[in-house]
Amino acid sequence: MALVQEFNTGTPIRVNGAMVTLTIDGQSVSVPAGASVMAAAATLGTQIPRLCATDMLDAFGSCRLCLVEIEGRKGTPASCTTPAEAGMKVKTQTPRLAKLRRGVMELYISDHPLDCLTCSANGDCELQAQAGAVGLREVRYGYEGVNHLKSPTDSSNPYFTFESSKCIVCSRCVRACEEVQGTFALTIEGRGFGSKVSAGGVDFFDSECVSCGACVQVCPTATLNEKSVIALGTPEHSVVTTCAYCGVGCSFKAEMKGEEVVRMVPYKAGKANEGHSCVKGRFAYGYATHKDRIVKPMIRKHITDPWREVSWDEALQYAASEFKRLQKDYGRDSIGAITSSRCTNEETFIVQKLVRAGFGNNNVDTCARVCHSPTGYGLSKTFGTSAGTQDFKSVEKADVIMVIGANPTDAHPVFASRMKKRLREGARLIVIDPRRIDLVRSPHVKADYHLPLLPGSNVAVINALAHVVVTEGLVDEAFVRERCDLASFESWARLIADERNSPEATAGMSGVDPGQLRAAARLYATGGNGAIYYGLGVTEHSQGSTMVMGMANLAMATGNIGRAGVGVNPLRGQNNVQGSCDMGSFPHEFSGYRHISDDATREMFEHLWGVPLSGEPGLRIPNMMDEAVEGAFKGLYVQGEDIAQSDPDTQHITAGLRAMECVVVQDLFLNETARYAHVFLPGSSFLEKDGTFTNAERRISRVRKVMAPLAGMADWETTIAFAKALGVEMHYSHPSQIMDEIAELTPTFAGVSYDRLDELNSIQWPCNDKAPTGTPIMHVDRFVRGKGRFMLTEFFPTDERTGPRFPLLLTTGRILSQYNVGAQTRRTSNNAWHEEDVLEIHPFDAESRGVRDGDLVSLQSRIGEISLHAKISERMQPGVVYTTFHHPNSGANVITTEYSDWATNCPEYKVTAVQVRRTNHYSDWQEQDREEGFSLRRIAQGLVDAAE
Ligand code: SF4
Ligand code: SF4
Ligand code: SF4
Ligand code: FES
């Protein structure tokens, strides 16, 4: 296996229809108009020497190494900045050019340390390669003059170094930070010989840098270099795979030495990220080999007993015998399973198969229950399918971008970079969020409107936006007439036009200025292509499903569906949350969102699986816990999900888990849920298995194994072995066979196979006979359900209200460096940026409570109490506080309530009435949790030590 080398055209080639034909070194070549001479030459296989150019960045023209001769033109123009023109005759190799290039290279080398043999980039350095390419044999200027060889090295970033003595000031890093990432953290300071790269006058760690790695990737020398490469040496082979963090689904080359990952390099051919990355996927992969990994199966009779390491066979037999006993003693419906949105489609599919075909019930649910289940419900009701409408690229055609309840720069950073690029090009921006998220104002990006609504008032705001559209004559009547169900439109429009939904009437509930709201509605409706992107700030509410339908209504009413640049797009949280839903993880649906009560669908599954299946929907996660507390639900198989930390009302979840007789946890680490487990089955990371993930744009991408599973089995193999122990035979020897079965049983996946994925790189479902290469944009000519249906979206305030005891509203979210419950990121150097969850509070609320920045404060709701350190922040509005839930002992979910979405039970994480007070101690729950946590860690440590 070799390193996957990606072709670099030197400057980007943008396909725009028109082609020009020119001659380069006597060979004819046609390229899209606007492509550079350098790129045209590259398509012929001629790599013109270059240093400041790379095809991730616009041409810059500073190094003067890429000179060419063009017939009829004077001088030697730079090929990177010269557009290819029809009829041009170009020479890339002449004695004059060779001399000029050697002269340029000589100057560079005379100010560069000559330590190639011991340099960490030896063999992977463009300066070294280009010196060879131009035939440099001597450096006439010597190395004694004024130079930069003693410039300092900045090692402050946990993942890469900046060895400035090696910098050739090509500006690639500065441009990558601007053009690709959109952070503008770097500048070139000084002029001429004194110019140097600066991270704003401070070191990288204290700068605006968000560690996306774009600068490291484009640096042609070892100046910006991964610490892992410095430690391990240059990689030897690579495998293309998919990031296992967020729903952007970035494609990476895992560059390896033997079975050790040297670095993760974003893959340019990956359509979700096109060569970009964020700090998590790029650098935070060390958790996969962290010493906390549990690699031996364990069992115990009672959760108060110490764990006992056993063989795989003993663990699986024990779990199976317990599950059989429970069904015998308490009935068929007394057990169930939770699938993982971190696992592959194939793994998820076979867990739900195990439940339906093996347990004989439909008690299967997934973590999407607590995040995007309202998306499934809302988009399915209005459009006819449970997924976002666009590909990510679509944002490049958006004229007005509306971001609702999402914080893309932290939670979906690579998509945020794409979005920011479009905004810098002139697209307009509306942000609807209680907080002033970074997008509201960041370098060269400023929201036209920020509507800082009060948590819990989403539906009031979407109705008010729609009210403006309906009452001011902004409806796209032609679209509604042709594409939508008219009767549903009329009854919706009647409701929406009512004065109670006007911006003025709703302002008291939402806190949004009616004038700003009216202006935002007009902009969205009349500003060209309007695209909505939303996140958990929409779904995790008691009216989450209503809000999703409200956005879909608004998009249909303004004709913003069915082409590039528009749409309604959920920014999915976990890497495979779309996939886990697609695969039939909900208790009422088979794969492809078909209801289990549909006889024809059920018969198809029964026929292939050879067992009768129940048509009765099973239990959702909250109902499993309710039934467990009541004594009817006794056994749970949890694959890759930490419900004790991530689900709301922690005490209720743990009470449910405690009440069960056999909890089987399959995970990488002894997570919080494992405290209540009787069987622990070691999980496998994304590096240890084959499979597929499906991202937020419905893109199915391959996950490829780069190392053997540390515990001996990949997750899909463990499920098969567990099924076998239960007497359910699953005959798959490779995940590709599971995908073949998914394709056979799921019309939207009918054309998907591993061969097809290898050929096309990735596929957006639906993929079938009608769409053999997949479907980037949905609902183009007609909605999946035929006519788009407007759904009534009456606003009902949540029952969770502020009052004298709990006068503030708490809302929750994520930050860039940590991920979800932090199980992975907390085991990486990302902790350097976020060691603990803090409470963001507005200065006004802080002052009135005597709270200073950094004080320990008690955060109390009617459900529970925790203590956190305060961070005073003007990003908050008065009356609203905010925290994250990345660290288990913060216990954000100890205080969130039992309220949930009326349609899907998705918890109302985003609205909790709280009080904040200064305190000098942690809460009782935290103290107890700490004690238990220490003993848990001691057990884990003992096991690790024993294993070593
Ligand atoms: S790592 Fe990313 S954000 Fe940081 S300086 Fe480099 S390009 Fe900019
Ligand atoms: S750090 Fe690298 S990319 Fe940046 S200017 Fe120096 S050599 Fe060029
Ligand atoms: S944006 Fe998401 S998928 Fe991409 S590298 Fe970051 S965490 Fe991974
Ligand atoms: S590559 Fe063209 S001027 Fe640097």
Side-chain angles (χ1 to χ4, degrees):
M1 222 185 316
L3 275 172
V4 175
Q5 297 290 357
E6 288 193 89
F7 191 63
N8 192 324
T9 52
T11 60
I13 297 182
R14 298 191 176 96
V15 180
N16 56 8
M19 299 290 282
V20 292
T21 301
L22 64 162
T23 307
I24 297 178
D25 295 334
Q27 281 182 277
S28 174
V29 62
S30 297
V31 288
S36 68
V37 167
M38 175 181 278
T43 59
L44 279 173
T46 302
Q47 291 287 352
I48 298 173
R50 59 174 188 251
L51 279 174
C52 68
T54 181
D55 61 7
M56 288 291 288
L57 305 172
D58 289 338
F60 191 57
S62 72
C63 74
R64 309 297 298 165
L65 201 66
C66 67
L67 309 178
V68 290
E69 291 177 11
I70 301 176
E71 195 175 289
R73 290 205 191 175
K74 281 194 194 149
T76 51
S79 61
C80 64
T81 50
T82 305
E85 286 173 15
M88 239 178 196
K89 290 194 168 57
V90 179
K91 283 188 183 155
T92 69
Q93 300 294 340
T94 69
R96 176 166 74 141
L97 291 172
K99 190 165 173 227
L100 285 169
R101 287 176 190 153
R102 272 199 295 273
V104 170
M105 186 53 87
E106 219 177 331
L107 284 170
Y108 277 115
I109 295 296
S110 70
D111 188 14
H112 195 83
L114 287 185
D115 61 357
C116 285
L117 278 183
T118 52
C119 176
S120 55
N122 187 20
D124 184 28
C125 169
E126 290 183 48
L127 185 67
Q128 191 183 42
Q130 298 297 351
V134 302
L136 188 70
R137 295 289 172 265
E138 57 170 346
V139 177
R140 288 166 295 167
Y141 311 116
Y143 308 96
E144 281 74 42
V146 181
N147 57 47
H148 299 90
L149 302 184
K150 295 217 168 4
S151 297
T153 295
D154 175 354
S155 301
S156 60
N157 186 287
Y159 295 115
F160 59 84
T161 56
F162 174 62
E163 202 175 336
S164 61
S165 63
K166 291 183 172 167
C167 179
I168 58 170
V169 203
C170 65
S171 284
R172 280 195 195 181
C173 54
V174 179
R175 290 178 286 138
C177 193
E178 294 174 3
E179 293 174 29
V180 180
Q181 165 58 23
T183 290
F184 295 77
L186 303 177
T187 51
I188 300 286
E189 266 178 8
R191 300 171 72 109
F193 187 72
S195 58
K196 60 175 188 182
V197 172
S198 164
V202 291
D203 64 23
F204 267 79
F205 189 76
D206 287 322
S207 73
E208 297 296 312
C209 169
V210 293
S211 294
C212 70
C215 56
V216 182
Q217 196 183 340
V218 296
C219 181
T221 64
T223 313
L224 284 160
N225 206 359
E226 295 93 348
K227 287 183 176 173
S228 55
V229 172
I230 296 170
L232 301 169
T234 46
E236 290 160 349
H237 64 273
S238 56
V239 179
V240 175
T241 189
T242 304
C243 178
Y245 279 115
C246 86
V248 178
C250 296
S251 199
F252 280 90
K253 292 180 284 184
E255 295 197 341
M256 316 283 298
K257 253 192 164 161
E259 286 221 326
E260 190 161 20
V261 178
V262 175
R263 64 180 168 192
M264 298 292 282
V265 178
Y267 189 43
K268 284 195 297 185
K271 294 200 181 99
N273 56 323
E274 295 183 334
H276 191 31
S277 59
C278 83
V279 61
K280 295 189 283 283
R282 176 75 154 94
F283 296 117
Y285 52 82
Y287 71 88
T289 48
H290 193 276
K291 65 180 177 50
D292 285 356
R293 278 281 301 271
I294 302 292
V295 295
K296 293 269 171 42
M298 302 185 295
I299 60 174
R300 56 184 176 183
K301 183 88 183 121
H302 305 288
I303 60 170
T304 45
D305 294 344
W307 283 108
R308 190 162 62 82
E309 276 183 8
V310 294
S311 67
W312 272 105
D313 192 47
E314 186 176 346
L316 292 165
Q317 289 302 335
Y318 179 74
S321 65
E322 280 294 278
F323 272 31
K324 283 186 202 159
R325 175 182 70 77
L326 294 174
Q327 284 197 306
K328 188 160 146 291
D329 292 352
Y330 301 101
R332 199 182 56 178
D333 295 335
S334 61
I335 62 171
I338 297 176
T339 69
S340 173
S341 291
R342 292 182 204 159
C343 287
T344 62
N345 286 318
E346 294 75 3
E347 286 163 345
T348 308
F349 184 82
I350 59 172
V351 170
Q352 63 90 35
K353 177 174 177 177
L354 172 65
V355 172
R356 301 189 203 283
F359 297 179
N361 61 38
N362 288 308
N363 290 339
V364 60
D365 206 1
T366 181
C367 64
R369 170 71 49 219
V370 298
C371 65
H372 268 290
S373 49
T375 289
Y377 183 88
L379 295 186
S380 165
K381 287 282 175 205
T382 46
F383 299 159
T385 196
S386 301
T389 59
Q390 311 296 117
D391 58 355
F392 290 146
K393 208 170 179 54
S394 161
V395 79
E396 294 168 11
K397 296 268 190 297
D399 299 310
V400 180
I401 297 171
M402 192 186 281
V403 177
I404 311 180
N407 185 8
T409 51
D410 280 41
H412 302 88
V414 166
F415 176 67
S417 291
R418 220 190 255 260
M419 184 188 272
K420 286 197 288 186
K421 188 169 189 184
R422 180 64 191 145
L423 292 167
R424 291 197 303 276
E425 288 167 359
R428 313 284 298 275
L429 174 65
I430 300 164
V431 173
I432 304 179
D433 200 284
R435 290 168 81 220
R436 203 183 65 220
I437 57 170
D438 281 349
L439 266 185
V440 172
R441 189 185 272 273
S442 58
H444 303 277
V445 169
K446 183 171 179 301
D448 293 83
Y449 301 101
H450 173 215
L451 309 184
L453 78 179
L454 283 168
S457 63
N458 283 341
V459 174
V461 169
I462 205 78
N463 284 352
L465 289 166
H467 178 90
V468 178
V469 169
V470 170
T471 57
E472 294 191 9
L474 305 179
V475 170
D476 184 339
E477 288 176 5
F479 183 89
V480 171
R481 216 175 20 252
E482 276 170 38
R483 301 286 310 274
C484 303
D485 175 80
L486 274 184
S488 70
F489 169 74
E490 279 157 15
S491 46
W492 171 77
R494 258 195 312 280
L495 167 79
I496 288 298
D498 191 282
E499 186 50 29
R500 70 180 185 280
N501 288 316
S502 72
E504 292 71 21
T506 51
M509 287 171 281
S510 68
V512 175
D513 177 83
Q516 292 277 303
L517 191 147
R518 281 191 182 273
R522 289 172 196 142
L523 176 60
Y524 173 73
T526 63
N529 286 338
I532 296 175
Y533 294 91
Y534 71 94
L536 303 181
V538 157
T539 53
E540 290 175 344
H541 288 270
S542 58
Q543 277 202 293
S545 292
T546 316
M547 179 61 184
V548 173
M549 294 189 290
M551 294 184 304
N553 292 339
L554 185 65
M556 287 190 289
T558 51
N560 278 315
I561 286 287
R563 61 182 187 280
V566 299
V568 180
N569 301 285
L571 293 172
R572 297 279 188 162
Q574 303 210 60
N575 54 323
N576 200 36
V577 66
Q578 178 72 53
S580 72
C581 298
D582 299 343
M583 292 298 103
S585 292
F586 288 130
H588 64 291
E589 283 173 339
F590 287 119
S591 57
Y593 305 99
R594 290 155 304 154
H595 205 279
I596 52 162
S597 62
D598 180 69
D599 290 342
T601 307
R602 210 172 55 255
E603 274 164 25
M604 187 165 66
F605 279 80
E606 285 173 339
H607 179 71
L608 198 74
W609 292 351
V611 286
L613 300 174
S614 162
E616 279 295 309
L619 297 171
R620 298 168 173 182
I621 296 171
N623 310 122
M624 290 180 194
M625 297 305 131
D626 294 344
E627 300 248 327
V629 170
E630 280 163 24
F633 190 79
K634 292 289 184 181
L636 184 64
Y637 171 37
V638 194
Q639 187 181 67
E641 175 65 7
D642 193 1
I643 54 170
Q645 192 184 346
S646 64
D647 284 34
D649 196 354
T650 307
Q651 292 96 324
H652 184 59
I653 295 283
T654 54
L657 290 168
R658 265 182 217 281
M660 292 183 211
E661 292 182 18
C662 185
V663 174
V664 180
V665 165
Q666 184 174 340
D667 210 290
L668 301 180
F669 305 105
L670 268 178
N671 59 18
E672 300 302 300
T673 309
R675 293 184 186 196
Y676 308 94
H678 306 83
V679 180
F680 187 90
L681 303 175
S684 55
S685 75
F686 75 115
L687 297 170
E688 297 155 51
K689 57 197 177 190
D690 280 298
T692 55
F693 292 151
T694 306
N695 76 353
E697 39 164 16
R698 295 169 278 105
R699 185 181 300 286
I700 308 156
S701 301
R702 273 299 311 275
V703 177
R704 293 185 179 87
K705 181 169 155 181
V706 304
M707 58 174 72
L710 297 192
M713 278 208 270
D715 289 310
W716 62 275
E717 293 171 299
T718 303
T719 303
I720 291 172
F722 185 32
K724 190 176 166 70
L726 280 159
V728 181
E729 291 293 339
M730 294 189 186
H731 301 285
Y732 313 107
S733 55
H734 190 269
S736 64
Q737 297 162 351
I738 307 175
M739 179 53 82
D740 292 343
E741 184 172 316
I742 295 165
E744 191 175 342
L745 288 168
T746 317
T748 44
F749 275 66
V752 181
S753 67
Y754 278 28
D755 285 346
R756 199 87 177 112
L757 283 165
D758 285 346
E759 186 190 326
L760 297 174
N761 195 349
S762 60
I763 299 173
Q764 285 175 271
W765 66 257
C767 174
N768 45 33
D769 286 348
K770 279 196 220 143
T773 55
T775 310
I777 296 174
M778 297 196 79
H779 318 298
V780 172
D781 299 317
R782 61 188 291 277
F783 285 95
V784 169
R785 69 176 303 283
K787 297 274 188 190
R789 179 164 60 177
F790 285 81
M791 297 294 291
L792 297 183
T793 54
E794 186 73 69
F795 171 58
F796 296 107
T798 168
D799 289 338
E800 180 71 2
R801 306 275 165 84
T802 54
R805 278 185 69 208
F806 304 112
L808 303 172
L809 283 175
L810 169 75
T811 187
T812 59
R814 287 190 198 170
I815 53 127
L816 171 69
S817 55
Q818 296 287 356
Y819 176 72
N820 209 303
V821 295
Q824 295 141 294
T825 44
R826 280 187 284 110
R827 291 179 171 94
T828 70
S829 299
N830 278 24
N831 273 347
W833 289 283
H834 187 81
E835 270 182 313
E836 60 170 321
D837 297 314
V838 295
L839 184 79
E840 286 188 36
I841 182 166
H842 187 270
F844 174 80
D845 294 325
E847 199 184 333
S848 61
R849 289 164 174 77
V851 171
R852 288 163 309 190
D853 200 54
D855 278 353
L856 190 67
V857 292
S858 140
L859 181 66
Q860 195 179 8
S861 74
R862 63 184 166 77
I863 297 289
E865 181 182 6
I866 56 173
S867 298
L868 298 166
H869 287 102
K871 180 180 176 193
I872 297 178
S873 164
E874 298 214 352
R875 283 153 67 105
M876 306 311 302
Q877 51 178 303
V880 181
V881 292
Y882 170 87
T883 190
T884 48
F885 52 92
H886 302 304
H887 291 269
N889 195 247
S890 315
N893 288 330
V894 170
I895 56 172
T896 48
T897 72
E898 73 285 15
Y899 293 137
S900 63
D901 176 44
W902 61 272
T904 64
N905 270 162
C906 181
E908 189 165 56
Y909 285 127
K910 302 297 183 191
V911 194
T912 308
V914 293
Q915 178 58 295
V916 174
R917 290 190 192 86
R918 282 181 65 189
T919 184
N920 58 7
H921 60 85
Y922 286 93
S923 73
D924 291 348
W925 180 87
Q926 283 168 309
E927 292 297 352
Q928 188 193 336
D929 178 78
R930 229 167 251 248
E931 272 307 304
E932 287 183 22
F934 284 141
S935 53
L936 189 75
R937 271 190 291 281
R938 275 198 296 275
I939 294 168
Q941 192 55 47
L943 289 168
V944 172
D945 291 346
E948 283 169 358

